[in-house]
Amino acid sequence: STPQGTYYPNSTISQRCYWQQGAGDGDRSYYDICLKYGVILNGPGNWGKAIVHNNDLDDSYKDKLVSMGASMQKIADLKRFCVDMKRGDIVALKRGKQEVYGVGIIESDYDWSELFSDVDGWDLQHYRRVKWLWTIEDNNNQPMRFGANTLKLGTTHILGSAKVINWVNNILQQHDLNDNSVALPRYLLKIIEK
């Protein structure tokens, strides 16, 4: 089963999904930790490791999150991160709604670690390993900037911007991924042609 709204760059060849993953807000950021340690992070993680059952967060885990004050939006966000993301998917590490700091391939299943229990004051124990293919170091230590509101607010979402996907695909074409998974998603081609 795939997340609602998921698209694949070339569904007959690849099952890669494109994601955007937040790495901070206007006041604090942790993209540098993600890039340095080859991870993407999500939180709060002080609720413990997510329990997954039948491609969803377990009801007892969701109840625990609600009892600790988590919103339904946060629960959906954690589901996308812990359940829907898959090894081999593409991720753009972003901050805000217009800056990308890294592009990589998710290399691990979901996991949880106390190592990320205090990242600039945030508890971000939910993590996945990422092989970074492009980082700000490839751009004179500057993020790739796109127009205002190009990316979604929030932590974990499907990447839906044709402009960003085209740019990501150019990066992917520079790396040997052992498949032809860098075609623009068909539904976006229809949008661009209009």
Side-chain angles (χ1 to χ4, degrees):
S1 150
T2 59
Q4 181 81 20
T6 300
Y7 52 82
Y8 297 105
N10 188 337
S11 61
T12 60
I13 296 173
S14 173
Q15 293 298 296
R16 293 184 197 272
C17 185
Y18 285 37
W19 297 93
Q20 62 174 50
Q21 179 67 31
D25 59 21
D27 298 324
R28 299 179 291 177
S29 67
Y30 50 91
Y31 70 85
D32 54 336
I33 301 295
C34 294
L35 297 176
K36 181 177 180 179
Y37 295 104
V39 294
I40 50 175
L41 303 170
N42 203 326
N46 60 343
W47 301 322
K49 184 172 182 174
I51 301 167
V52 177
H53 182 71
N54 291 333
N55 286 323
D56 198 359
L57 295 176
D58 186 77
D59 287 340
S60 65
Y61 186 75
K62 287 188 224 178
D63 291 343
K64 180 180 177 183
L65 296 178
V66 169
S67 72
M68 298 180 88
S71 68
M72 295 313 289
Q73 180 180 356
K74 186 61 198 172
I75 292 170
D77 179 76
L78 284 172
K79 178 190 180 292
R80 287 187 293 270
F81 188 88
C82 301
V83 178
D84 297 339
M85 280 184 162
K86 302 292 183 217
R87 186 182 303 204
D89 285 351
I90 306 302
V91 63
L93 185 68
K94 62 103 181 176
R95 186 168 168 222
K97 295 180 5 180
Q98 63 185 21
E99 295 180 341
V100 175
Y101 289 78
V103 172
I105 298 176
I106 298 172
E107 290 194 312
S108 73
D109 293 329
Y110 158 76
D111 209 346
W112 185 94
S113 174
E114 278 293 335
L115 291 173
F116 303 111
S117 64
D118 184 4
V119 178
D120 198 17
W122 278 322
D123 53 318
L124 301 170
Q125 292 95 322
H126 305 288
Y127 79 94
R128 286 179 176 271
R129 290 240 168 247
V130 174
K131 177 183 178 183
W132 296 114
L133 304 175
W134 180 92
T135 71
I136 60 171
E137 290 180 6
D138 299 311
N139 195 36
N140 297 317
N141 287 319
Q142 296 296 313
M144 181 57 74
R145 288 185 174 86
F146 297 92
N149 301 318
T150 301
L151 302 163
K152 295 178 184 175
L153 278 180
T155 308
T156 305
H157 290 286
I158 295 293
L159 181 59
S161 164
K163 180 187 276 187
V164 178
I165 290 170
N166 277 328
W167 174 72
V168 167
N169 282 340
N170 286 332
I171 292 167
L172 297 178
Q173 288 172 344
Q174 298 170 23
H175 297 271
D176 180 15
L177 301 179
N178 298 319
D179 67 20
N180 298 319
S181 63
V182 295
L184 192 64
R186 283 187 207 107
Y187 93 94
L188 287 175
L189 284 173
K190 292 175 185 171
I191 294 171
I192 292 169
E193 290 170 358
K194 290 182 180 178

